[in-house]
Amino acid sequence: AAPAEAGRAPGPPDGGWGWVVVFGAFVSIGFAYAFPKGLAIFFKEIQDFFGTSYSEIAWVSSIMLATTYGAGPISSILVNRYGSRPVVMFGGLLCGVGMISAAFCTSILQLYICVGFITGFGLALNLQPSVIIIGKYFLKRRPIANGLAMAGSPVMLCTLAPLNQFLFDNFGWRGSFLILGAILLNCCVAGALFRPIGAGTAQVKTQVTEEAKDALKGKITEDGPMANQTEEEGGKDCFEKVNRYLDFSLFKHRGFLIYLIGNVLMFLGFFAPIVFLAPYAKHTGIDEYSAAFLLSILAIVDMVARPTTGIVANSKWVRPRIQYFFSFAIAFNGACHLLCPLASSYTGLIVYSSFFGLAFGMVCAMLFETLMDLVGAARFTSAVGLITIAECCTILLGPPIGGILIDTFGDYKYMFIKCGAVMVLAGTFLFIMNYYNYRMLAKEEKERKKKEEDPKSVRTENEGKKNWNKDSTQDGPELEPLREKGEGVKKEMNGT
């Protein structure tokens, strides 16, 4: 099969079937992000059933989230090889199998395997392709499309929180897991909507390319002067083959490294407050449905915040400096957690949930848009894979560390303070380093223009083209369609 990138159109259509793809991504991303949080409704009861501690039960969500992020490179490789549609459909099948198997678990270790690893891996195969395919369908309206797709998470969370409580009251946690496994199979339907761009063109080009290769191979066999070239290509080691799908040169990209360090630090305190929000409310004496309703309030505010953030981020004032906006959103998220211990009553928790939903939605709406702004659309697939494998470590440790703090001190406030401090630190780091990155980019651009204007620096036409390609790769996604269009014309001329 041809790689997914082979079928790309010269430029993203920015509409049409793309809005159907956004709806499919809305469903897939919604389940991938909201499902691990919605399971927190069952934690108190599963903890009593198996007689485990807070930290032990928190590993269920942690393993699921870490697997969802840690399997990012595998998901990226599969998308590059087979395209988004089959990967998402297979992921939906895995999610259903994992949750149905979890209904028959007899120990907490079996829950780790079924819910954590199997369902988490299925969600990974839903998340990455859904984010990647939006970048192929949209350019000018991409922040809005990303904001709408990311709104799937709060919509699903708003629905799953009361639904899970209703299912538990009527069917118990085992019966609930069976029903949830069936619901997750809807990801297969969402994946079916991910129509590849330019599939027909890709088949024609592949056929022409293969015929040309066969003809060239026959000629080489007869003449013999270039016979060693095929052997050298066949002798590629494993690292080179993996590097075709995961671009490790990104670790030399300054903006990518800044984003990576800031996000790895941020995820240490990103998910723990959501995982422990409902248990914290129950711990303070609030009934089950009111505790579940806090997650619904968070999700409703989040639902409005994501597309609104996408519209604001797409404006001419914010988009050129979107990294600053992202840094502010992370620091604002941390400030909410630091103030949470002051909310002792149910009204205070409602206020906290509202502000938390706003901050959480702002971060999630820009999470992938800022990455694409840094590395460009062509390298985005590899960047997502490499970012998620690095983030999975802190995602795995975040909720259990929070659980250990609760078990040690018998109070939830230390967990919220830890999460808030970490996120404020991450936001501050990103703000300072992005300021440095913008200054360096402006300086490099100024030097490049100065060299071009200098009459003494005479360069050949080929060298100029090579440097322009390098610069356009660093600039981000805005020049990608033009460059890809030129490359496509060049390929067609060579094929002809």
Side-chain angles (χ1 to χ4, degrees), residues 139-210:
L139 176 62
K140 292 180 181 177
R141 300 175 181 172
R142 194 180 62 233
I144 298 172
N146 272 323
L148 290 171
M150 289 293 178
S153 173
V155 170
M156 292 294 179
L157 183 58
C158 182
T159 309
L160 283 173
L163 175 65
N164 286 351
Q165 191 63 52
F166 172 79
L167 291 175
F168 174 76
D169 290 342
N170 289 275
F171 304 103
W173 68 269
R174 292 187 186 276
S176 301
F177 280 14
L178 278 172
I179 296 169
L180 289 173
I183 291 172
L184 281 172
L185 292 174
N186 285 289
C187 293
C188 299
V189 182
L193 301 175
F194 293 170
R195 181 191 298 168
I197 298 180
T201 311
Q203 290 176 3
V204 174
K205 285 184 180 179
T206 305
Q207 189 177 355
V208 171
T209 308
E210 285 179 358

Side-chain angles (χ1 to χ4, degrees), residues 177-326:
F177 280 14
L178 278 172
I179 296 169
L180 289 173
I183 291 172
L184 281 172
L185 292 174
N186 285 289
C187 293
C188 299
V189 182
L193 301 175
F194 293 170
R195 181 191 298 168
I197 298 180
T201 311
Q203 290 176 3
V204 174
K205 285 184 180 179
T206 305
Q207 189 177 355
V208 171
T209 308
E210 285 179 358
E211 287 175 2
K213 280 183 180 177
D214 291 339
L216 182 62
K217 191 175 179 182
K219 189 175 180 181
I220 288 170
T221 307
E222 290 175 8
D223 299 340
M226 296 174 67
N228 292 330
Q229 188 175 353
T230 312
E231 291 178 6
E232 287 175 6
E233 287 179 1
K236 284 184 177 180
D237 60 9
C238 182
F239 179 80
E240 288 175 330
K241 289 179 180 178
V242 172
N243 199 44
R244 286 174 56 199
Y245 301 107
L246 291 175
D247 186 4
F248 289 100
S249 66
L250 282 165
F251 287 107
K252 297 178 182 178
H253 192 292
R254 185 173 58 242
F256 175 81
L257 289 175
I258 292 170
Y259 181 92
L260 176 65
I261 295 168
N263 275 256
V264 166
L265 184 61
M266 176 193 76
F267 276 109
L268 198 59
F270 193 60
F271 288 114
I274 292 184
V275 171
F276 288 108
L277 180 58
Y280 173 50
K282 292 178 184 178
H283 177 76
T284 57
I286 296 168
D287 63 275
E288 289 83 355
Y289 276 97
S290 297
F293 186 62
L294 289 174
L295 288 174
S296 297
I297 293 170
L298 186 151
I300 290 166
V301 178
D302 190 2
M303 197 187 310
V304 178
R306 294 197 190 204
T308 306
T309 302
I311 293 168
V312 173
N314 198 45
S315 65
K316 62 180 180 180
W317 300 283
V318 178
R319 192 168 186 183
R321 292 292 182 265
I322 195 172
Q323 306 297 333
Y324 291 148
F325 193 31
F326 182 56

Side-chain angles (χ1 to χ4, degrees), residues 262-458:
N263 275 256
V264 166
L265 184 61
M266 176 193 76
F267 276 109
L268 198 59
F270 193 60
F271 288 114
I274 292 184
V275 171
F276 288 108
L277 180 58
Y280 173 50
K282 292 178 184 178
H283 177 76
T284 57
I286 296 168
D287 63 275
E288 289 83 355
Y289 276 97
S290 297
F293 186 62
L294 289 174
L295 288 174
S296 297
I297 293 170
L298 186 151
I300 290 166
V301 178
D302 190 2
M303 197 187 310
V304 178
R306 294 197 190 204
T308 306
T309 302
I311 293 168
V312 173
N314 198 45
S315 65
K316 62 180 180 180
W317 300 283
V318 178
R319 192 168 186 183
R321 292 292 182 265
I322 195 172
Q323 306 297 333
Y324 291 148
F325 193 31
F326 182 56
S327 306
F328 165 75
I330 294 172
F332 177 48
N333 205 318
C336 292
H337 302 325
L338 288 174
L339 296 173
C340 179
L342 301 176
S344 55
S345 64
Y346 186 64
T347 306
L349 286 175
I350 289 174
V351 173
Y352 164 71
S353 299
S354 302
F355 279 99
F356 183 20
L358 174 62
F360 192 84
M362 289 171 66
V363 172
C364 290
M366 292 184 289
L367 196 59
F368 294 107
E369 174 59 33
T370 47
L371 178 59
M372 190 176 286
D373 178 72
L374 288 168
V375 302
R379 306 170 81 185
F380 180 66
T381 306
S382 295
V384 170
L386 294 172
I387 282 284
T388 51
I389 191 66
E391 290 170 348
C392 74
C393 299
T394 49
I395 289 170
L396 179 67
L397 295 174
I401 290 173
I404 290 170
L405 289 173
I406 296 168
D407 289 332
T408 304
F409 297 102
D411 198 338
Y412 282 80
K413 72 177 181 179
Y414 297 102
M415 185 273 299
F416 284 108
I417 291 170
K418 183 270 295 182
C419 294
V422 164
M423 294 200 69
V424 169
L425 179 63
T428 307
F429 169 82
L430 282 172
F431 189 90
I432 294 169
M433 294 307 295
N434 280 316
Y435 174 75
Y436 167 76
N437 188 37
Y438 280 133
R439 289 287 299 272
M440 290 301 294
L441 286 173
K443 187 178 178 182
E444 288 163 6
E445 180 67 16
K446 193 175 179 180
E447 288 176 358
R448 186 179 67 83
K449 287 181 178 179
K450 192 176 180 180
K451 283 182 180 179
E452 286 177 354
E453 292 170 0
D454 188 3
K456 292 181 181 180
S457 60
V458 180

